[in-house]
Amino acid sequence: MRLLVTGGAGFIGSNFIRYWLRSHEQDAVINLDALTYAGNLENLRDIEHSQNERYQFVQADITDEKSITKIIGSEKPDCIVNFAAESHNSLAIVNPGAFFRTNVLGTQTLLEAARQNNISRFHHISTCEVYGDLDLETTERFSETSPYRPRTPYNASKAGADMAVRAYFETFGLPVTISNCCNNYGPYQFPEKVIPLFITNILSGEKLPVYQSSQNRREWIQVDDHCRAIDLILHQGKLGETYNIGTGIEKSVEEIAALILSALEKDENWKIYVPDRPGHDRRYLLDSSKIKQELGWQPEIPFNEGIQATIQWYQEHPEWWQPLRAKRLVQEAQWKNTNN
Ligand code: NAD
């Protein structure tokens, strides 16, 4: 199989490409990425160095209709997996337009090129955040049939993309699948997201900016468990269907901070509380019984094991993350200046 992976120079995309080339020895991967501040070919340097003939990189923007049509027309992939997105909720508050352009219009551009070239599968990577947020005390979970109630520009742009994917299935019969995953962690995550931000702050001698609503929590998955779920959907998922991917493991921001402080032998004085960003969601939790029952997926990496390995990875790879800290576009302590 020939896969076109968009956003393959980002965190999950690069882990997915490494996973796919390792797990499917006959397959080839084309990585299409615009290389925004979040895209980094260093994430795949090992694959480039090994001169793997089953891998190639093409720099292109998914909103650029002409380039996308040309690349998909000439490369003729069997399958497109769309990871490309503006992905940082905090950045979406200062620059929402970029999110709607890439996440909604970029996805539609890819869908149209897929339709014109009779691609046999378009898999779209989405997020738990499209469903809105949950009360901290509720026993409710989001299922695939929960209504979409996005609350931030990032979430709304991802929800818009999901709707476009569904429309191409219903209207044109494009063979699509969608997965909505919970929060990922693991190696090669840009140090703007909370786990690598906290780890690299401590390793750089800086305090952790903890949002005042520090009991807000997220459901966490190690990125390889996410990649295995996508693999199952690509091979056995039903066309037109959406699959939630979650572990059921929830941790508050406070718990994440405590865990990282303890692993790096630092005390509570390393935390500073900062105002929440506007629209800060309290909680997301997915009902992932559909993918478990229909496709037999289960998360395999226990949270404590995965997080300790991630902390260790950042300790061992300062040459990877140090140059990226200067590329961060938002500071989490800045929200006091916004009209919340
Ligand atoms: P990331 O920001 O690390 O990577 C995004 C990649 O997309 C980058 O390489 C960037 O250069 C590329 N890109 C951005 N705009 C582009 C454009 N216009 N054209 C081509 N490439 C472009 O993000 P990530 O965390 O790896 O997330 C990947 C996908 O997974 C996103 O769609 C995100 O919404 C989704 N997702 C992420 C999480 C998470 O916890 N990180 C959870 C659920 C879903």
Side-chain angles (χ1 to χ4, degrees):
M1 183 153 68
R2 268 170 84 70
L3 263 77
L4 180 90
V5 174
T6 71
F11 162 49
I12 308 177
S14 62
N15 277 285
F16 178 78
I17 290 174
R18 186 174 290 102
Y19 162 89
W20 198 273
L21 291 172
R22 187 176 67 225
S23 315
H24 301 280
E25 290 184 356
Q26 305 303 318
D27 290 359
V29 173
I30 304 147
N31 173 12
L32 184 155
D33 198 295
L35 299 182
T36 67
Y37 79 99
N40 183 2
L41 289 178
E42 290 300 321
N43 298 3
L44 290 163
R45 198 52 81 200
D46 51 334
I47 289 169
E48 291 210 335
H49 275 169
S50 68
Q51 295 183 325
N52 193 324
E53 285 174 0
R54 298 186 291 126
Y55 169 78
Q56 61 169 304
F57 172 70
V58 186
Q59 185 167 4
D61 188 317
I62 60 166
T63 63
D64 178 349
E65 193 182 327
K66 216 169 136 193
S67 302
I68 293 302
T69 309
K70 194 169 155 209
I71 293 164
I72 293 179
S74 62
E75 295 294 341
K76 301 204 183 322
D78 302 299
C79 172
I80 297 174
V81 187
N82 181 28
F83 291 91
E86 288 291 345
S87 71
H88 189 33
N89 241 319
S90 299
L91 182 59
I93 291 154
V94 293
N95 187 10
F99 283 68
F100 287 96
R101 268 192 300 282
T102 287
N103 299 358
V104 184
L105 297 178
T107 299
Q108 189 273 330
T109 303
L110 287 170
L111 287 164
E112 187 55 30
R115 177 168 89 96
Q116 284 170 18
N117 287 282
N118 297 318
I119 300 297
S120 48
R121 176 70 72 86
F122 187 99
H123 182 70
H124 179 68
I125 307 295
S126 189
T127 163
C128 58
E129 303 187 21
V130 297
Y131 300 117
D133 75 339
L134 289 171
D135 193 281
L136 290 178
E137 308 307 329
T138 185
T139 53
E140 201 190 325
R141 288 175 181 233
F142 296 124
S143 78
E144 289 81 356
T145 54
S146 295
Y148 275 26
R149 293 201 177 100
R151 299 179 63 251
T152 70
Y154 166 65
N155 302 349
S157 66
K158 292 297 290 183
D162 291 10
M163 295 301 172
V165 177
R166 290 179 185 188
Y168 268 72
F169 173 74
E170 298 291 346
T171 309
F172 304 117
L174 189 74
V176 308
T177 39
I178 301 176
S179 50
N180 294 73
C181 190
C182 65
N183 276 46
N184 287 227
Y185 68 90
Y188 299 104
Q189 187 167 31
F190 193 91
E192 64 188 351
K193 307 283 167 59
V194 66
I195 288 179
L197 175 72
F198 282 4
I199 300 170
T200 61
N201 264 27
I202 294 182
L203 296 176
S204 307
E206 288 176 30
K207 292 191 176 183
L208 312 186
V210 179
Y211 285 152
Q212 262 147 15
S213 304
S214 64
Q215 293 310 319
N216 284 4
R217 53 191 197 267
R218 301 290 180 257
E219 183 182 9
W220 291 100
I221 188 170
Q222 208 280 351
V223 63
D224 278 343
D225 275 336
H226 184 186
C227 293
R228 280 191 310 100
I230 300 166
D231 189 346
L232 277 172
I233 298 169
L234 285 174
H235 283 105
Q236 296 168 38
K238 208 168 141 216
L239 297 183
E241 292 289 314
T242 289
Y243 296 89
N244 283 348
I245 307 171
T247 57
I249 304 293
E250 291 188 283
K251 299 285 171 203
S252 67
V253 182
E254 202 65 68
E255 287 172 308
I256 295 285
L259 218 150
I260 293 171
L261 286 172
S262 148
L264 296 175
E265 298 174 347
K266 297 287 185 235
D267 63 24
E268 294 278 301
N269 295 323
W270 281 72
K271 286 189 292 194
I272 40 164
Y273 287 90
V274 299
D276 288 14
R277 69 177 172 230
H280 187 211
D281 286 332
R282 292 164 296 176
R283 182 183 175 206
Y284 323 105
L285 182 61
L286 293 171
D287 172 352
S288 303
S289 48
K290 178 173 167 180
I291 191 167
K292 289 179 178 168
Q293 282 161 17
E294 290 185 15
L295 307 185
W297 176 81
Q298 283 290 345
E300 289 178 357
I301 302 165
F303 181 76
N304 282 339
E305 211 174 278
I307 198 77
Q308 295 303 338
T310 301
I311 295 170
Q312 192 180 339
W313 187 87
Y314 281 87
Q315 284 178 298
E316 289 170 356
H317 293 86
E319 77 295 345
W320 180 83
W321 57 261
Q322 274 168 348
L324 302 181
R325 282 174 59 87
K327 288 186 164 187
R328 289 173 298 172
L329 298 179
V330 282
Q331 295 297 325
E332 293 302 341
Q334 74 182 51
W335 304 118
K336 53 185 169 292
N337 300 324
T338 61
N339 298 319
N340 191 0

